[in-house]
Amino acid sequence: MAIDATSPYDHANIFAKILRGEIPNRTVYEDEWALAFHDINPAAPTHILIIPKGAYVSWEDFSARGSDAEIAGFVRAIGHVARSHDLVTPGYRLLANVGGHGGQEVPHLHVHLFGGRPLGPMLAR
Ligand code: AMP
C-alpha cells in the first residue's frame, strides 16, 4: 500500500532495518551519507536503490529538512553508483516515488536507479 509522504518517520520500516544491519541486503556502495543496494525485485537488469543514512520519509521530507551536506552527499552517491556500474554512456533512469500518487511503498527515501537496457517510455499511458 502506498504511504503518506507527510507521516512521521517510522523507525521500523524495512530500509531502517537494513541501515541498522537487522536484515540482509546486497550492498553495492556505502559512504557516510548513503547506502546503495540491489532491489529485491528488480525491474531492469540493473535496479539499485540508493537511500540516505538519515531518517527521511521521502523526497519531500529530505528536501525540506536535510542538511546541505546530507543532500550533497546523497546526490553524489547516486552519481558514483551510476558511474561505477558503467551506466553513463548507455544511459540510465532515476526515479523517486513520493507518497500516494507516486506509489511509494517504503517510507524511507529511496531513489531507484535503473539501467542495462533501453527503458522505454517514462510512464505507461
Ligand atoms: P517504492 O514503491 O518506490 O517504495 O519501492 C520500494 C522498492 O523496495 C521496491 O522496488 C521493492 O522491490 C524494494 N524492496 C522492498 N524490500 C526490499 C528489501 N528487503 N531489499 C531490497 N529491496 C526491497
Side-chain angles (χ1 to χ4, degrees):
M1 199 180 74
I3 61 115
D4 176 353
T6 64
S7 301
Y9 188 81
D10 172 11
H11 289 273
N13 81 75
I14 193 126
F15 294 168
K17 291 179 180 172
I18 285 177
L19 281 171
R20 292 195 296 267
E22 293 169 7
I23 59 170
N25 74 92
R26 292 171 57 216
T27 297
V28 301
Y29 178 72
E30 181 169 14
D31 65 18
E32 180 181 356
W33 308 110
L35 178 70
F37 51 92
H38 288 287
D39 195 291
I40 205 165
N41 186 21
T46 300
H47 184 175
I48 293 166
L49 301 173
I50 305 106
I51 67 175
K53 289 212 166 158
Y56 296 101
V57 175
S58 67
W59 194 272
E60 161 53 26
D61 190 19
F62 191 56
S63 61
R65 292 197 302 111
S67 70
D68 290 357
E70 286 177 306
I71 291 169
F74 183 57
V75 170
R76 290 199 187 282
I78 295 169
H80 176 87
V81 172
R83 286 190 294 276
S84 66
H85 285 76
D86 296 324
L87 293 173
V88 176
T89 299
Y92 60 94
R93 180 170 295 160
L94 301 175
L95 175 72
N97 294 318
V98 181
H101 281 191
Q104 183 179 0
E105 292 176 350
V106 178
H108 181 112
L109 170 62
H110 47 285
V111 169
H112 297 255
L113 168 61
F114 300 105
R117 66 167 167 78
L119 294 163
M122 188 170 66
L123 290 176
R125 292 181 190 276

